[in-house]
Amino acid sequence: QVHLVESGGGLVQAGASLRLSCAASGRDFSGYGLGWFRQAPGKKERDFLGAVSWSSGMTVYADSVKDRFSISRDVVKETAYLDIDSLQLDDTAIYYCASGLIGGDSYDDWGQGTQVIVSS
C-alpha cells in the first residue's frame, strides 16, 4: 500500500524560506513521479506546483512558482522535498504530495497534506 506523508508545514513569516518533505513508501517508485500541489483557503481545487521523476530527478514546474519553488528527491531516504523561497502571504495553503506514473494522466495516491500559514 502506497503511503505518502507530508511534513514541515507551520506558521512562518513572509519572506522566510521553508522546506516541506514527503516521505514515500509502499512501492518501488521507479517510473513514477512525485508531484506537489496546494489548496488555498476557500478554493476547491488543488493547484499543481511541480513534480520530480523519482528515477531521474528531472523536474517540471508550474510557471507561476518556478522562480521561488524547487523540488528534489532523495531516493535513499525515500523522500521528496519542496523548497519555497521568499514566502508570500498567498502561499498560505495546504500542501500535498502525490504519486503517479510518468506519462500517466492522473496522480493516484495522495498524502494527507501539511498546512502552511504565512504571516506578515
Side-chain angles (χ1 to χ4, degrees):
Q1 181 179 1
V2 175
H3 203 45
L4 301 173
V5 180
E6 302 94 335
S7 61
L11 178 64
V12 292
Q13 281 202 316
S17 297
L18 187 69
R19 165 168 276 195
L20 304 179
S21 300
C22 173
S25 61
R27 69 147 58 101
D28 178 358
F29 285 93
S30 301
Y32 284 79
L34 268 288
W36 284 95
F37 297 75
R38 69 183 178 186
Q39 185 174 14
K43 290 188 68 175
K44 290 184 179 180
E45 66 277 8
R46 297 177 183 179
D47 295 325
F48 173 77
L49 302 175
V52 59
S53 164
W54 194 257
S55 299
S56 70
M58 289 183 62
T59 53
V60 294
Y61 297 95
D63 287 342
S64 59
V65 302
K66 62 183 179 181
D67 291 335
R68 295 189 297 117
F69 287 36
S70 178
I71 296 172
S72 60
R73 93 283 186 249
D74 185 324
V75 297
V76 174
K77 295 182 178 180
E78 297 184 309
T79 301
Y81 302 99
L82 174 66
D83 292 298
I84 309 174
D85 291 330
S86 303
L87 280 157
Q88 303 170 357
L89 295 180
D90 60 6
D91 291 323
T92 294
I94 301 174
Y95 286 74
Y96 299 89
C97 66
S99 69
L101 274 170
I102 292 175
D105 57 5
S106 66
Y107 286 85
D108 300 316
D109 297 290
W110 292 78
Q112 83 290 347
T114 185
Q115 187 169 43
V116 174
I117 300 174
V118 183
S119 65
S120 59

